Amino acid sequence: MPALALVDTPVETFSGDCSGVFIPTSPNSAASVDWSPSVETFSGDCSGVFIPTSPNSAASVDWSPSLSASLYRIDRWGAPYFTANSSGNISVRPHGSNTMPHQDIDLMKVVKKATDPKSTGGLALQLPLIVRFPDVLKNRLESLQSAFDFAIQTQGYDSHYQGVYPVKCNQDRFIIEDIVEFGSSFRFGLEAGSKPEILLAMSCLCKGNPDAFLVCNGFKDAEYVSLALLGRKLELNTVIVLEQEEELELVIDLSKKMNVRPVIGLRAKLRTKHSGHFGSTSGEKGKFGLTTIQIVRVVRKLRQVGMLDCLQLLHFHIGSQIPSTALLSDGVSEAAQLYCELIRLGARMEVIDIGGGLGIDYDGSKSGESDLSVAYSLEEYAAAVVASIRFVCDQKSVKHPVICSESGRAIVSHHSVLIFEAVSTGQQHETPSDHQFLLEGYSEEARGDYENLYGAAMRGDRESCLLYVDQMKQRCVDGFKEGSLSIEQLAGVDGLCEWVIKAIGASDPVLTYNVNLSVFTSIPDFWGIDQLFPIVPIHRLDQRPVARGILSDLTCDSDGKINKFIGGESSLPLHELDNNGCSGGRYYLGMFLGGAYEEALGGVHNLFGGPSVVRVLQSDGPHGFAVTRAVMGQSSADVLRAMQHEPELMFQTLKHRAEELSSVHKAGGDKGNDKLAASCLARSFNNMPYLSMETSTNALTAAISNLAVYYRDEAAVGGGGKDGKWSCFGGLRET
């Protein structure tokens, strides 16, 4: 309980080095006054009790970016790509552990470049914003390949690793094209699970390594199988993986009709599975794959039609986020036994596809006990896979197969950062200073509660204070319901009670930070499956965060909030919002490790569309980076079209209505209002649905011209010190 300071009347001035609440003792005295360190003196004509709530010295405790890095676990979940720099901002290390000090990219500088107006050299993009770092993506690919190469070399394995990226993790065109380009030298391929995915994979792999796999998973009909067979005609290395036994007849019939010799794989339902959320698709009752009985029947059927030599790949999937190498080794060993048995039965097996499951450490705990972390490194994962396959194959005197994996989450999660802004705060216990509490008009019982409350405050009796606060509030609420108290009187009681609760330290210290974001659009896995991602302020890390908060989004939905955070926390350490802080008072947060699944799964709840996107490469220029592509997020017109509305017709309807009404009022001097209405409507259709933090007319008008895609020639990025000339296409206007 904080110390109580008795203030006698008359008091000319009271000053202190702490924050607190002054409670008047006389019934007719002025309203209670909320004291803060920003107030140098307090003056009044009353007696009362001053209850300090927090010493001012607490705010002056030394703080540093390294303390913030520890507080937010940045060096654990973020290594080797994210760190807190000496300026108190998040830095991106685009080449991982190989990044030189001068190559770090300050994330705040990227945000400034993206959001500043064009007149000052910015791109005038609106938040929320996804920042992609292709250099990080390339490093993830190369690190995965290097891990397997090292394990193969050190263990004397007689084949090679050749991975594929499952495009379902993020189907963005430029991500797919980057992966094909970056992985071309080591035959890195793609995996598809639907007809649109196989179309994009075929198109992208035309520019890739001809030996790269195109693994065709998922449920299949005749059209899907025909596309996969067409891929072989186009000299793509497509492999049709049987998920269901019935698919075999389609493959046999269509391959004969198209005169194509297919390469066939089959997905096995292993007995090995893990118990976490992501293990539900594995095991005997998993959604996909063939049982041992079905596998034997497939082999017999292929032998009967003379196509057993086409069976060349065994695929399995234990589940995403495999927590430990022990479980991994168990599943891979079981699959290796199946692989050897298929060879014994006469199949010309060449590849074992271990599926996905390579996890990432979302919370920095390096634990194998939750879905948020894994207890191994890339190198340990690769070593376990290689050792398990080699051991079984050596026992059976079987040639070592090519090892394929479908590691999507581990490849794309780190390279994408979601930036959004906290626009305001609210709290459960409000402490207004403009409602006076006067005992006139209150019942005798309420007056008695006030006197008891004052007595408890004088004694420092916290429990009694809470009891009398509850009694007083309930009595006055009853009076309000009966009509004997006015709303002003009820507000006065509420204000007094909340002041006391705050003063004695019983109030909920957690604030609600309202963020310019839709959880359902940008972080759907949090809402859908309680997936947690690291969320951190991207600046002010050299300042001590003095508040704790939860995040509430813009949607009109009570589920649109983030109230669970890594580390088992129900709130997040945050800084206070003000108009004098960094970046003119704007407060930016980043969600990290969200590059997989979130964009594809996001919906348009409340018609909030996708965020803006920038693509950032490390360069040797003065800023250390170059934005090579910038796309404004979905406009209101875009999300309306997604729900079958026609924005052009809507605009014309509303514009016509404005013109009709304007003609009626022209005699009253309202000339030109129709043009103003048309301009306002056009701007609203073309702008993003999110809050615009720029309020000037010029800023709003300029936003109309930003509805385009901006791109640069990346060949000029590496050596230039200037951003160079931008090109633009795709502008849309409804005026």
Side-chain angles (χ1 to χ4, degrees):
M1 175 70 187
L4 304 180
L6 183 61
V7 182
D8 293 322
T9 186
V11 179
E12 294 184 358
T13 61
F14 175 82
S15 62
D17 191 32
C18 56
S19 302
V21 173
F22 178 80
I23 301 179
T25 58
S26 56
N28 293 320
S29 61
S32 302
V33 176
D34 195 13
W35 174 267
S36 71
S38 61
V39 179
E40 294 181 358
T41 61
F42 166 76
S43 61
D45 188 18
C46 59
S47 302
V49 178
F50 179 76
I51 308 178
T53 56
S54 61
N56 189 43
S57 58
S60 63
V61 173
D62 289 337
W63 197 256
S64 68
S66 62
L67 291 175
S68 287
S70 176
L71 177 66
Y72 295 110
R73 303 182 173 204
I74 298 170
D75 293 335
R76 287 192 269 176
W77 57 258
Y81 300 107
F82 305 103
T83 187
N85 64 33
S86 58
S87 298
N89 302 333
I90 294 287
S91 275
V92 180
R93 308 186 74 234
H95 310 298
S97 56
N98 297 322
T99 306
M100 302 295 289
H102 71 278
Q103 294 176 324
D104 284 3
I105 299 174
D106 190 316
L107 199 50
M108 272 300 293
K109 292 182 179 178
V110 175
V111 173
K112 178 176 174 57
K113 172 68 178 178
T115 59
D116 274 0
K118 293 179 183 177
S119 59
T120 61
L123 297 171
L125 296 180
Q126 188 179 341
L127 298 184
L129 172 72
I130 290 176
V131 185
R132 301 200 202 284
F133 295 95
D135 294 314
V136 173
L137 182 62
K138 183 179 182 181
N139 184 264
R140 293 300 294 174
L141 270 177
E142 292 174 345
S143 297
L144 177 61
Q145 184 71 37
S146 296
F148 272 99
D149 288 346
F150 180 78
I152 286 169
Q153 181 181 0
T154 56
Q155 296 186 35
Y157 193 83
D158 291 331
S159 190
H160 66 274
Y161 168 75
Q162 188 173 331
V164 296
Y165 168 69
V167 299
K168 68 178 180 180
C169 288
N170 195 321
Q171 299 97 338
D172 180 84
R173 168 191 166 188
F174 298 97
I175 292 176
I176 306 297
E177 290 180 353
D178 280 343
I179 288 173
V180 171
E181 177 187 348
F182 298 155
S184 179
S185 62
F186 38 85
R187 297 168 288 195
F188 210 87
L190 301 173
E191 180 270 347
S194 66
K195 285 179 277 189
E197 287 186 350
I198 194 174
L199 286 169
L200 73 86
M202 289 169 63
S203 175
C204 289
L205 285 173
C206 285
K207 299 179 181 179
N209 191 306
D211 294 327
F213 292 130
L214 171 48
V215 177
C216 302
N217 289 331
F219 292 104
K220 302 172 187 68
D221 60 7
E223 185 180 0
Y224 188 125
V225 173
S226 297
L227 284 171
L229 293 171
L230 176 62
R232 294 210 68 82
K233 278 182 173 278
L234 298 176
E235 297 185 351
L236 298 174
N237 195 7
T238 57
V239 182
I240 302 173
V241 178
L242 304 178
E243 304 274 6
Q244 296 179 301
E245 188 177 1
E246 296 79 15
E247 295 170 356
L248 179 60
E249 293 296 336
L250 277 175
V251 175
I252 293 172
D253 292 344
L254 289 170
S255 63
K256 291 179 179 178
K257 291 178 181 178
M258 296 178 65
N259 194 28
V260 176
R261 196 70 174 171
V263 174
I264 299 174
L266 58 83
R267 177 168 177 169
K269 284 186 178 179
L270 300 186
R271 314 300 171 95
T272 305
K273 64 172 294 184
H274 72 80
S275 58
H277 167 81
F278 296 109
S280 60
T281 56
S282 61
E284 287 185 280
K285 296 183 179 180
K287 179 178 178 181
F288 300 105
L290 308 180
T291 65
T292 54
I293 296 172
Q294 292 172 317
I295 290 173
V296 170
R297 286 204 295 258
V298 165
V299 170
R300 288 175 180 171
K301 179 67 175 178
L302 286 172
R303 182 183 291 114
Q304 288 172 5
V305 298
M307 295 178 63
L308 188 53
D309 63 307
C310 295
L311 181 57
Q312 298 180 20
L313 180 144
L314 174 67
H315 172 45
F316 68 94
H317 180 64
I318 300 173
S320 297
Q321 283 287 109
I322 296 173
S324 67
T325 54
L327 178 62
L328 174 67
S329 297
D330 192 25
V332 172
S333 296
E334 180 186 352
Q337 294 287 355
L338 271 176
Y339 179 89
C340 293
E341 285 298 295
L342 288 169
I343 287 181
R344 184 184 65 80
L345 292 174
R348 203 188 78 186
M349 302 298 293
E350 295 184 6
V351 183
I352 185 164
D353 179 354
I354 65 174
L358 172 56
I360 63 172
D361 193 359
Y362 287 103
D363 63 4
S365 66
K366 293 186 170 30
S367 166
E369 304 299 321
S370 78
D371 291 332
L372 294 178
S373 187
V374 291
Y376 52 79
S377 64
L378 278 179
E379 292 75 18
E380 290 167 336
Y381 174 89
V385 170
V386 172
S388 299
I389 297 174
R390 185 177 71 87
F391 179 78
V392 172
C393 290
D394 287 351
Q395 273 192 328
K396 300 287 180 126
S397 299
V398 169
K399 181 182 176 182
H400 296 165
V402 174
I403 300 174
C404 178
S405 75
E406 302 175 6
S407 302
R409 185 188 305 267
I411 290 175
V412 298
S413 291
H414 297 76
H415 96 290
S416 181
V417 181
L418 174 69
I419 307 296
F420 55 98
E421 185 176 3
V423 295
S424 63
T425 59
Q427 60 188 101
Q428 184 177 351
H429 294 283
E430 188 178 5
T431 57
S433 58
D434 57 348
H435 294 302
Q436 292 191 355
F437 175 72
L438 303 175
L439 293 184
E440 294 179 1
Y442 292 91
S443 65
E444 290 297 324
E445 293 85 354
R447 289 170 177 264
D449 289 333
Y450 176 85
E451 293 172 359
N452 291 332
L453 175 59
Y454 168 68
M458 288 293 294
R459 298 191 304 272
D461 187 346
R462 184 177 186 274
E463 298 303 320
S464 294
C465 280
L466 290 174
L467 174 64
Y468 294 128
V469 160
D470 288 341
Q471 287 183 358
M472 189 174 184
K473 287 186 73 171
Q474 188 57 51
R475 233 184 282 275
C476 291
V477 168
D478 291 342
F480 180 75
K481 290 179 178 180
E482 294 168 359
S484 60
L485 281 186
S486 68
I487 188 172
E488 292 91 346
Q489 290 174 313
L490 182 62
V493 170
D494 286 338
L496 172 64
C497 292
E498 301 303 346
W499 267 322
V500 173
I501 289 173
K502 178 181 177 181
I504 64 177
S507 63
D508 184 357
V510 177
L511 304 177
T512 297
Y513 281 66
N514 302 308
V515 295
N516 200 6
L517 184 78
S518 165
V519 169
F520 306 94
T521 299
S522 295
I523 321 178
D525 268 344
F526 175 82
W527 171 69
I529 60 173
D530 285 332
Q531 172 70 46
L532 303 185
F533 299 91
I535 297 176
V536 180
I538 66 168
H539 60 146
R540 297 178 64 178
L541 298 178
D542 55 345
Q543 303 173 30
R544 178 177 178 267
V546 297
R548 296 195 70 91
I550 63 172
L551 308 179
S552 178
D553 76 355
L554 296 183
T555 65
C556 300
D557 195 309
S558 58
D559 284 339
K561 61 184 177 183
I562 302 175
N563 55 3
K564 297 177 184 176
F565 303 89
I566 63 170
E569 299 290 338
S570 59
S571 62
L572 188 68
L574 295 168
H575 303 85
E576 292 181 330
L577 302 187
D578 59 66
N579 294 323
N580 300 313
C582 185
S583 296
R586 303 181 72 168
Y587 191 49
Y588 299 104
L589 302 171
M591 186 203 80
F592 296 81
L593 309 186
Y597 296 110
E598 302 312 292
E599 292 173 58
L601 291 175
V604 290
H605 187 31
N606 256 169
L607 297 187
F608 286 105
S612 303
V613 180
V614 293
R615 189 172 187 270
V616 177
L617 286 176
Q618 184 267 322
S619 76
D620 295 329
H623 300 299
F625 69 90
V627 179
T628 60
R629 182 174 176 82
V631 184
M632 181 68 84
Q634 287 180 298
S635 67
S636 294
D638 292 331
V639 290
L640 286 166
R641 286 191 192 95
M643 302 305 293
Q644 307 303 312
H645 296 278
E646 298 184 43
E648 293 81 6
L649 294 180
M650 297 166 67
F651 172 75
Q652 292 300 330
T653 299
L654 293 169
K655 181 182 177 184
H656 181 66
R657 179 66 173 267
E659 290 170 348
E660 285 183 333
L661 293 177
S662 178
S663 64
V664 173
H665 298 291
K666 274 184 180 179
D670 289 337
K671 216 170 184 181
N673 281 351
D674 54 339
K675 293 183 179 180
L676 179 62
S679 175
C680 177
L681 288 167
R683 182 172 62 241
S684 295
F685 274 112
N686 281 304
N687 282 350
M688 290 174 66
Y690 297 91
L691 301 182
S692 174
M693 304 313 295
E694 303 292 341
T695 57
S696 70
T697 303
N698 290 337
L700 290 173
T701 304
I704 300 176
S705 65
N706 295 331
L707 302 168
V709 176
Y710 296 90
Y711 65 96
R712 301 184 52 204
D713 180 6
E714 292 184 12
V717 170
K722 297 182 179 180
D723 284 344
K725 185 176 180 180
W726 284 78
S727 299
C728 170
F729 66 92
L732 170 67
R733 288 179 176 80
E734 303 292 345
T735 54

